[in-house]
């Protein structure tokens, strides 16, 4: 008998019919003997409706009061599901974040969970009840309602699983798992049976938006096994867990991630003096522009070139800041390019395999794709290429790293 | 500087525009130096929308879970008003029933308030904040959300006023006060400056649905001055308070109430034995049918006639029950009439004035209106007449008791 936390998102509870379907699914698990805590989002569209009401009063609604309004969305779905379960003869009870008590800090609209009181939930589980908890919300020490920010229901699920030491936290979504890459780009993309937290983080931060990054970090920190599944299709989904190094034949690469949202900026002919990197990036971060990849070439003739990428929306702003900096430090010129894409290979297996990067470069060279920037981490190699080659590059890498194979062994 | 509790109903907060208007009104009071606690209902239509969602899951939704859903209606309006006030530079904070803490029993959907913690509210008032509280809801000792039943926001307002020893509880509605009778029937009907709790109770129970009966009882019990006002028109409204017997020229009658919702049933030729009244009404109340007026004529020939009124919707059911009873106790026959109306004169002044009833009967006789039943209490005389004479009777009584006069003195 396992203790499972199941989280269903807004689309999965988007209508009465869907809530009834979720109840059917929960009932099946319950009948299989599992103890269940179900975390729900608001019905899809409801949070936006509530936000819109608040926006009609004020462009900048008071954060504390906004949380009072927005938190009602989940409050409705939890009670509807509890009713649907009881109708099916499954004892159930609903709790808001405050009722559980999910204690957070007071950073309204983007609060962080500090502590979860598991007493009520444990007592209900012991009494044979399914416990239905409102995701995305909590309460601060003054008793004010808080919300975790959009998409925060995943985090509620993981935090509850950690507090309860659950056997698994299941995140139900509109995809049936995590894929080796986007199936719309590579039809041979395969669902992964398993992926590590680190890999998932790299995949997620690179645009594979199956899970909230924060919930994956949280799950990794507390070692909560996470499983991504489809809400209404049967299937094992993808298990996200720690790298147990048990599988001898671990594949080198787990997936190919990519991102079209970046733009590249280069400041050329920078006098190569100590502290120049800070002089360039300081004003950028002071303007609240986030920088992703950073590359500095080796100096020659006492000058160097400095290149970095930003979100495409912030390209114009970053360009302006950089022009100023260039004048101040006596650099030659600023050039930029918005027609780029970033492609990354991700896998914990590359830690113990030499030559992964060169195998990547070789595959791209075979397709005569020029590499503009390279950045590496322990479990990832990213390159920036011309945007028009994106699909070609992803497909070439998917094949080169043997991800096309019909089934993955050794798990 | 007075402490005032103001309650606004669903229509008064039925749209963003109306909430902004309420904020303007509250701001004006605040600027006049009053300490304010504002109690709100859900936006009109919202409670029905939420009930409908629950009904789609189950015809008989679990009461505890229904309260979780329905209570979100007020949670949205309180935060919207708090935002609207803060936007106007008026410091404000919203509280749900649970946050205040309004402790109730656990009778979900029709809970009763047991206790109100006034600590938070007093601290906020002291800090200069307007406190906006969700009406109609509370929390039981297990931390489950409860609701007071429909229309219960009036009760929340009165209970808060009692707990805070407020100077006045203002109930904002869609009428500008309590009238001597329904102005649609008598164009000369006047707004009363003042009315006693007892009179208001009689008026309310007789169909003048300005206030919830329960909230008036509550206000009377705790001696909370209640004022009925129009949400969006200026004016002093009607003050409902204890009978201070200060006004020397207290009018005999404060108002004329009437009711078209009743039907009359008579069981004739009942053997006049002890306990026969119980034999007749016992089965009626066992069938959950509420009885209003009851009249038993003096017996002759050892039989008597027994007449009572019920709500018109329950006439058929009551008739059936009564037929059975008639057979069992050997009564002659059961007759009934649905085309009746009840007209009542209400006023604490009649306590000290003899001949009020006869003056009423005289006025009706002048119009040749036949009286079918009579029932009296300390501050009320009710008669049942043929329905078609209702308007005529109300107008005749309104004139006979000098309620048509343009202004009322002695207050």
């Amino acid at each position: 008998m396992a203790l499972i936390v199941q989280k269903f998102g807004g689309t999965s509870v988007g209508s009465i019919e869907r809530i009834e379907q979720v109840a059917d699914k929960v009932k099946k698990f319950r009948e299989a003997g599992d103890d269940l805590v179900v975390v729900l989002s608001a019905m899809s569209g409801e949070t936006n409706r509530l936000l819109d009401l608040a926006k009609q009063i004020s462009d900048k609604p008071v954060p504390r009061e906004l949380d009072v309004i927005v938190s009602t969305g989940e409050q409705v779905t939890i009670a509807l599901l509890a009713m649907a379960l009881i109708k099916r003869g499954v004892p159930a009870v609903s709790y808001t974040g405050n009722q559980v008590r999910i204690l957070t800090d007071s950073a309204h609209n983007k609060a962080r969970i500090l502590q979860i009181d598991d007493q009520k939930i444990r007592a209900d589980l012991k009494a044979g009840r399914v416990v239905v908890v409102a995701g995305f919300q909590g309460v601060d020490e003054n008793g004010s309602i808080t919300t975790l920010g959009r998409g925060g229901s995943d985090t509620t699920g993981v935090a509850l699983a950690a507090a309860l030491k659950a056997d698994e936290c299941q995140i139900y979504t509109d995809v049936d798992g995590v894929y080796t890459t986007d199936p719309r780009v590579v039809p041979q993309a395969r669902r992964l049976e398993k992926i590590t937290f680190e890999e998932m983080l790299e995949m997620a931060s690179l645009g594979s938006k199956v899970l909230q990054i924060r919930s994956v970090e949280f799950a990794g920190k507390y070692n909560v096994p996470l499983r991504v599944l489809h809400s209404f299709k049967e299937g094992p989904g993808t298990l996200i867990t720690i790298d147990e190094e048990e599988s001898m034949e671990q594949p080198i690469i787990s997936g190919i991630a990519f991102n079209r949202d970046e733009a590249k900026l280069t400041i050329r002919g920078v006098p190569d003096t100590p502290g120049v990197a800070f002089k360039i990036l300081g004003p950028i971060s002071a303007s609240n522009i986030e920088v992703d990849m950073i590359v500095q070439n080796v100096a020659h003739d006492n000058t160097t070139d400095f290149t970095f990428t930003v979100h495409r929306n912030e390209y114009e702003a970053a360009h302006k800041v950089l022009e100023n900096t260039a004048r101040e430090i006596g650099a030659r010129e600023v050039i930029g390019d918005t027609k780029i894409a970033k492609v990354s290979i991700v896998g914990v297996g590359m830690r113990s395999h030499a030559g992964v990067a060169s195998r990547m470069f070789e595959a791209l060279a075979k397709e005569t794709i020029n590499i503009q920037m390279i950045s590496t981490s322990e479990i990832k190699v990213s390159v920036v290429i011309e945007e028009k080659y994106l699909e070609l590059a992803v497909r070439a890498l998917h094949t080169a790293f043997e991800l096309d194979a019909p089934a993955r062994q050794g798990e």
Side-chain angles (χ1 to χ4, degrees), chain A:
Chain A
M1 199 176 77
L3 169 53
I4 301 177
V5 175
Q6 302 187 312
K7 182 260 167 178
F8 292 89
T11 319
S12 307
V13 294
S15 67
I16 295 292
E17 292 66 38
R18 294 229 156 160
I19 290 174
E20 301 269 16
Q21 281 181 276
V22 169
D24 286 337
K25 188 179 273 275
V26 171
K27 185 186 181 187
K28 207 183 286 176
F29 273 90
R30 184 73 195 104
E31 282 173 350
D34 291 323
D35 279 343
L36 297 174
V37 175
V38 182
V39 176
L40 299 184
S41 302
M43 294 170 93
S44 54
E46 181 64 5
T47 303
N48 282 333
R49 185 185 74 86
L50 293 165
L51 283 172
D52 183 58
L53 272 179
K55 289 270 163 66
Q56 286 181 55
I57 295 277
S58 168
D59 284 342
K60 287 183 183 168
V62 189
R64 179 193 182 277
E65 302 299 338
L66 190 61
D67 280 349
V68 172
I69 293 175
V70 170
S71 62
T72 63
E74 294 79 33
Q75 192 169 326
V76 170
T77 48
I78 55 170
L80 289 175
L81 181 65
M83 283 178 187
L85 286 168
I86 292 167
K87 186 174 73 173
R88 283 165 175 74
V90 179
V93 63
S94 77
Y95 291 128
T96 62
N98 174 54
Q99 288 177 318
V100 165
R101 178 177 195 233
I102 297 176
L103 183 71
T104 72
D105 59 24
S106 299
H108 286 286
N109 311 349
K110 49 179 195 287
R112 285 182 173 266
I113 296 175
L114 300 177
Q115 201 186 307
I116 292 181
D117 184 348
D118 64 354
Q119 283 198 315
K120 268 190 187 176
I121 295 179
R122 285 201 188 281
D124 285 311
L125 291 175
K126 207 169 171 187
R129 281 188 278 270
V130 171
V131 181
V132 187
V133 178
F136 171 69
Q137 59 180 249
V139 64
D140 73 5
E141 59 178 1
N142 302 319
S144 291
I145 296 166
T146 55
T147 67
L148 310 181
R150 305 206 74 176
S153 290
D154 284 2
T155 307
T156 304
V158 173
L160 274 168
L164 294 163
K165 294 180 182 56
D167 296 290
E168 198 167 286
C169 178
Q170 301 179 338
I171 310 282
Y172 288 86
T173 66
D174 55 356
V175 296
D176 66 352
V178 180
Y179 274 68
T180 49
T181 195
D182 187 336
R184 284 169 302 186
V185 171
V186 183
Q188 303 94 316
R190 283 182 305 103
R191 179 180 55 77
L192 294 162
E193 296 284 329
K194 234 181 186 177
I195 186 172
T196 69
F197 292 115
E198 293 163 286
E199 287 170 333
M200 189 65 211
L201 279 176
E202 294 287 5
M203 294 290 277
S205 66
L206 291 165
S208 301
K209 276 160 199 144
V210 176
L211 288 175
Q212 266 229 301
I213 289 188
R214 204 164 128 202
S215 67
V216 179
E217 284 172 353
F218 213 81
K221 186 171 168 189
Y222 291 99
N223 194 15
V224 173
L226 260 186
R227 191 180 288 276
V228 175
L229 303 119
H230 196 284
S231 300
F232 303 114
K233 288 182 205 157
E234 293 295 318
T238 297
L239 181 66
I240 305 158
T241 183
I242 53 166
D243 177 19
E244 289 166 349
E245 305 196 42
E246 283 166 2
S247 59
M248 298 299 290
E249 299 188 59
Q250 188 145 43
I252 300 168
I253 295 302
S254 291
I256 317 285
F258 55 85
N259 187 346
R260 302 173 208 258
D261 296 335
E262 297 193 17
K264 187 181 71 168
L265 285 154
T266 302
I267 179 164
R268 297 179 68 175
V270 177
D272 187 27
T273 55
V276 77
F278 174 72
K279 277 185 191 149
I280 293 167
L281 290 181
I284 295 286
S285 88
S287 307
N288 279 318
I289 297 170
E290 270 194 55
V291 170
D292 180 27
M293 286 172 79
I294 303 168
V295 172
Q296 184 181 354
N297 291 351
V298 173
H300 65 128
D301 295 347
N302 291 325
T303 68
T304 183
D305 296 344
F306 194 95
T307 303
F308 59 89
T309 63
V310 296
H311 194 281
R312 222 173 262 188
N313 292 341
E314 301 185 313
Y315 173 74
E316 294 299 335
H319 203 288
K320 228 173 257 176
V321 172
L322 210 55
E323 293 274 4
N324 282 334
T325 307
R327 268 195 301 279
E328 280 170 23
I329 63 176
R332 198 162 63 244
E333 64 174 338
V334 174
I335 56 170
D337 186 358
T338 59
K339 299 212 179 306
I340 60 159
K342 183 166 76 165
V343 180
S344 309
I345 56 174
V346 175
V348 293
M350 72 172 70
R351 277 182 185 147
S352 49
H353 284 77
V356 170
S358 65
R359 190 158 151 196
M360 181 189 198
F361 305 153
E362 184 192 9
L364 296 173
K366 265 190 193 162
E367 305 290 342
T368 66
I369 297 169
N370 192 35
I371 297 171
Q372 303 181 1
M373 290 171 79
I374 299 171
S375 156
T376 62
S377 81
E378 279 243 323
I379 65 163
K380 180 192 71 174
V381 181
S382 301
V383 298
V384 166
I385 59 172
E386 209 178 329
E387 190 182 12
K388 66 178 176 185
Y389 295 125
L390 174 63
E391 289 83 359
L392 180 63
V394 172
R395 277 182 221 120
L397 293 170
H398 203 264
T399 303
F401 285 100
E402 293 161 19
L403 295 170
D404 295 343
R408 188 166 155 184
Q409 301 297 315
E411 290 179 350

